[in-house]
Amino acid sequence: MQLLSSQKMFNGWQQRYRHYSQTNQCDMTFSIYIPFRVTQGYKVPTVYCLAGLTCTDENFTIKAGAQQYAAQLGLVLVMPDTSPRGEDVANDAAYDLGQGAGFYVNATEAPWAKHFQMYDYIVQELPDLIEANFDVTQERSLMGHSMGGHGALVIALRNSERYKSVSAFAPIVNPMDIPWGQKALNAYLGDNQAAWAQYDACHCINHASHRLPILIDQGTADEFYPTQLQPEKLVTAAKVAGCPIQFNLRQDYDHSYYFIASFVETHLTFHAEHLGL
């Protein structure tokens, strides 16, 4: 790993790294917040924070205001990039496909399949890297925003034995039935509806091996609600599946990081409780 930057923050360290990803066959970057407790020799659990369309690892890092709460709670935060990047990596002129829009899937279609293996990268390669190089336990939780909320929910539900909890801000929960999801899933996976269902939280929740606690916040002034974002569908599916879910509809909040910053403490406290802190 190559250390790109390191700043002291709330007596811990905010750092950014580059590494070569065997999964995505290109260089990837991630940001990590290491709280003071780790510098004192304690191992602590990790919350992986997945960002949305057009974002990099730096959006949540800079805008969410999460580090002060991670410092208080004793949580490592890991902020991955949202897709592979580089001159040799396939891209699209639209903001909702290609670089910055990996949708946390393992692509099977050309030209995406060579590099766009974000599902495996988040599930296996990145945690292995973090746990081999930082003083963290193997206790993990996931959170995400928008496309990242989709990624967090799908990954947690499909690998429920690996995580203690999952939360999302304004998540895509039913990509098979919305324009963003249909465009991305068709491009990355072709027209195989069975493959699409593997990346749809409303379908995945019926097959989760563990009933993970879920927290979702949605703003009523979100420009993408309810056309692209339909969290109530997941609430209904969770109740049918017997999965504990808390859903908060936040009056007048939009889709921005102002919304995330307003409630990120609630989400991190939720994860800390389920991580045993």
Side-chain angles (χ1 to χ4, degrees):
M1 295 191 303
Q2 178 188 359
L3 178 64
L4 301 177
S5 62
S6 182
Q7 289 84 29
K8 192 169 185 178
M9 190 176 191
F10 298 108
N11 287 320
W13 293 94
Q14 179 64 54
Q15 298 180 333
R16 192 176 192 226
Y17 289 87
R18 178 185 294 122
H19 73 103
Y20 184 78
S21 167
Q22 293 291 342
T23 303
N24 288 320
Q25 293 292 293
C26 66
D27 285 339
M28 296 290 295
T29 59
F30 68 88
S31 294
I32 183 169
Y33 178 69
I34 304 166
F36 177 73
R37 291 190 69 183
V38 172
T39 69
Q40 299 300 297
Y42 294 95
K43 286 192 172 184
V44 304
T46 306
V47 177
Y48 290 82
C49 311
L50 309 187
L53 288 167
T54 74
C55 291
T56 70
D57 57 291
E58 293 190 292
N59 291 74
F60 186 92
T61 302
I62 295 170
K63 297 179 179 180
Q67 293 91 338
Q68 60 181 317
Y69 307 116
Q72 294 166 11
L73 295 165
L75 291 168
V76 164
L77 303 180
V78 174
M79 287 68 71
D81 202 348
T82 55
S83 77
R85 299 179 192 270
E87 292 183 2
D88 297 330
V89 176
N91 201 9
D92 190 271
Y95 78 96
D96 54 358
L97 189 67
Q99 295 184 35
F103 268 82
Y104 303 98
V105 306
N106 286 341
T108 57
E109 300 295 303
W112 313 105
K114 179 179 179 181
H115 296 290
F116 282 72
Q117 303 296 311
M118 287 298 294
Y119 176 86
D120 282 352
Y121 176 73
I122 299 297
V123 172
Q124 198 65 55
E125 185 177 15
L126 185 59
D128 285 352
L129 187 72
I130 297 299
E131 290 163 18
N133 289 279
F134 299 93
D135 287 330
V136 298
T137 69
Q138 292 186 333
E139 304 289 297
R140 316 173 194 93
S141 288
L142 274 164
M143 63 187 296
H145 172 228
S146 195
M147 178 188 73
H150 144 77
L153 290 165
V154 166
I155 288 169
L157 292 170
R158 286 181 59 180
N159 303 273
S160 54
E161 73 286 351
R162 289 179 59 85
Y163 302 98
K164 296 297 184 182
S165 54
V166 60
S167 73
F169 294 93
I172 299 169
V173 303
N174 192 201
M176 295 180 71
D177 290 335
I178 64 163
W180 273 345
Q182 290 167 348
K183 177 179 179 178
L185 295 175
N186 186 68
Y188 295 138
L189 305 173
D191 59 5
N192 183 346
Q193 295 289 305
W196 288 26
Q198 294 181 61
Y199 299 102
D200 189 303
C202 287
H203 289 262
C204 294
I205 201 164
N206 296 315
H207 306 288
S209 59
H210 294 75
R211 299 306 182 209
L212 285 179
I214 302 171
L215 169 64
I216 293 177
D217 276 276
Q218 174 66 58
T220 62
D222 191 323
E223 63 185 298
F224 304 112
Y225 174 74
T227 303
Q228 301 276 19
L229 310 173
Q230 302 170 348
E232 290 87 352
K233 286 187 176 181
L234 186 64
V235 173
T236 299
K239 290 178 178 177
V240 171
C243 194
I245 189 166
Q246 178 182 344
F247 175 57
N248 301 312
L249 194 59
R250 304 293 190 177
Q251 193 68 32
D252 297 329
Y253 282 92
D254 61 15
H255 197 70
S256 72
Y257 272 86
Y258 296 113
F259 168 48
I260 296 173
S262 298
F263 299 104
V264 72
E265 180 183 12
T266 301
H267 282 239
L268 291 180
T269 300
F270 166 80
H271 292 302
E273 290 173 354
H274 291 289
L275 288 163
L277 296 178

